[in-house]
Amino acid sequence: EAGVTQFPSHSVIEKGQTVTLRCDPISGHDNLYWYRRVMGKEIKFLLHFVKESKQDESGMPNNRFLAERTGGTYSTLKVQPAELEDSGVYFCASSQARINSPLHFGNGTRLTVT
Amino acid sequence: GENVEQHPSTLSVQEGDSAVIKCTYSDSASNYFPWYKQELGKRPQLIIDIRSNVGEKKDQRIAVTLNKTAKHFSLHITETQPEDSAVYFCAAGLGGTSYGKLTFGQGTILTVHP
């Protein structure tokens, strides 16, 4: 089966610009998560979708971040306007809609804000 | 919220030696503890996990132990090989329908010298 795919793999933007990251989960996975790793620190939870609904967005840093999952398939994470501290690796992960289903991660998008 | 501390941050061993990585967590409600391995430029991959009703789990050269009373869990890799070199992350979560919402440790860079 195809894994979780993320696009782009790298993005370099200037402070104040907008960037949109995309995640395609494994087909049939209702659960979709966004995580972020900043500056070699821990991987931090951002939010969780169940199909098209936001189940938990407690990890979103602020209102410059907007995540969507229209139709319950792929998801986008938009940062607008980007700040220097937004630099890091953004991971998407998905899992099946059953208890104890493990997470499958994508390769991540490395975002650099200059 | 949950807090996970991981040690050491870097670990260097000779091929054939054992490697041990330790994590502590703060939330006694956590009952799911996965370990992820991330090779350079690749996605984090689940290598082993343990649930709170089990004290130890082994899969070939990899084992994980859990002490719920002390709130710590450890990853043991025996007979290390150069291909074990990677960043290892421990994580803790509530399990159940929140299976994919994990709190990660800071990561351990393991280097296995031939």
Side-chain angles (χ1 to χ4, degrees):
Chain A
E1 74 184 354
V4 177
T5 56
Q6 293 187 243
F7 182 84
S9 57
H10 293 84
S11 180
V12 181
I13 62 172
E14 293 184 351
K15 176 182 173 181
Q17 290 186 322
T18 298
V19 63
T20 300
L21 314 179
R22 172 171 170 145
C23 168
D24 286 76
I26 293 172
S27 179
H29 282 195
D30 287 343
N31 291 306
L32 187 149
Y33 301 82
W34 283 98
Y35 281 85
R36 176 174 76 169
R37 189 180 190 208
V38 174
M39 287 291 291
K41 294 186 178 179
E42 70 270 26
I43 301 171
K44 277 195 169 182
F45 168 83
L46 296 179
L47 89 159
H48 169 207
F49 283 100
V50 177
K51 297 185 180 179
E52 67 275 8
S53 299
K54 289 177 186 174
Q55 183 77 8
D56 183 345
E57 50 184 328
S58 60
M60 294 288 264
N62 50 61
N63 59 11
R64 295 185 294 103
F65 289 75
L66 175 65
E68 294 180 323
R69 193 183 182 194
T70 306
T73 54
Y74 71 90
S75 175
T76 58
L77 179 64
K78 182 163 72 172
V79 185
Q80 179 184 30
E83 297 289 344
L84 298 178
E85 63 265 25
D86 300 333
S87 295
V89 180
Y90 290 76
F91 290 104
C92 176
S94 71
S95 68
Q96 293 179 322
R98 58 180 173 83
I99 292 177
N100 298 344
S101 180
L103 276 186
H104 298 265
F105 279 86
N107 283 337
T109 293
R110 180 174 294 279
L111 174 65
T112 303
V113 182
T114 61
Chain B
E2 175 66 281
N3 182 54
V4 176
E5 296 288 335
Q6 182 172 346
H7 298 281
S9 57
T10 60
L11 180 58
S12 183
V13 300
Q14 289 296 127
E15 182 176 2
D17 287 351
S18 294
V20 180
I21 303 170
K22 298 182 179 182
C23 290
T24 60
Y25 62 99
S26 60
D27 188 349
S28 56
S30 290
N31 58 18
Y32 173 60
F33 307 92
W35 287 86
Y36 285 83
K37 173 185 179 182
Q38 186 183 17
E39 296 177 65
L40 191 63
K42 296 188 178 180
R43 67 192 69 201
Q45 289 200 306
L46 178 69
I47 55 172
I48 195 167
D49 58 12
I50 192 167
R51 297 180 183 85
S52 60
N53 57 346
V54 176
E56 183 174 358
K57 185 176 178 180
K58 189 173 181 180
D59 182 4
Q60 298 182 342
R61 297 186 297 108
I62 294 173
V64 58
T65 59
L66 170 65
N67 183 327
K68 281 222 77 177
T69 303
K71 297 202 196 79
H72 65 72
F73 55 113
S74 301
L75 178 71
H76 304 253
I77 306 174
T78 58
E79 301 171 26
T80 54
Q81 300 166 3
E83 50 266 39
D84 294 329
S85 297
V87 181
Y88 290 80
F89 293 95
C90 64
L94 297 177
T97 55
S98 299
Y99 216 68
K101 184 180 181 182
L102 300 172
T103 301
F104 284 85
Q106 296 87 341
T108 296
I109 301 172
L110 173 64
T111 304
V112 181
H113 299 280

